[in-house]
Amino acid sequence: MLTICPTADYEIYFGKNLASAEEVLFEPTRKLLDLLSEFGVSMTLFPDICSVWRHRELGLPGYADAFEAQVKQTAAAGH
């Protein structure tokens, strides 16, 4: 029997992003989670929590709030 364990890094690209976090992180993750849900597959997500801390330090809570909300939803869905 073959066992496959899907994993994904959950982080924005290190360097200059030419698109918003919505476009490069949140929306692709939603699409991936929807696809996995269709097949009843769970995955392990590796979130970059340091990016949340840094955004909060810089007074940029929008990204941090969206990040935390999506990670919580992902965990609640069984990933």
Side-chain angles (χ1 to χ4, degrees):
M1 177 164 83
L2 177 66
T3 301
I4 298 174
C5 301
T7 65
D9 283 339
Y10 184 80
E11 59 189 317
I12 54 176
Y13 176 74
F14 183 66
K16 184 175 182 178
N17 288 306
L18 300 177
S20 69
E22 176 63 31
E23 293 174 278
V24 299
L25 181 63
F26 304 128
E27 182 59 24
T29 300
R30 275 192 290 275
K31 289 179 180 179
L32 178 58
L33 292 171
D34 289 345
L35 179 65
L36 292 171
S37 178
E38 285 181 37
F39 293 97
V41 174
S42 62
M43 73 171 173
T44 299
L45 200 63
F46 295 97
D48 176 14
I49 193 65
C50 294
S51 69
V52 170
W53 298 338
R54 185 64 178 146
H55 278 80
R56 291 214 186 278
E57 286 175 4
L58 296 173
L60 303 169
Y63 166 83
D65 292 344
F67 183 108
E68 290 176 349
Q70 190 168 56
V71 169
K72 287 176 184 176
Q73 291 170 346
T74 301
H79 299 280

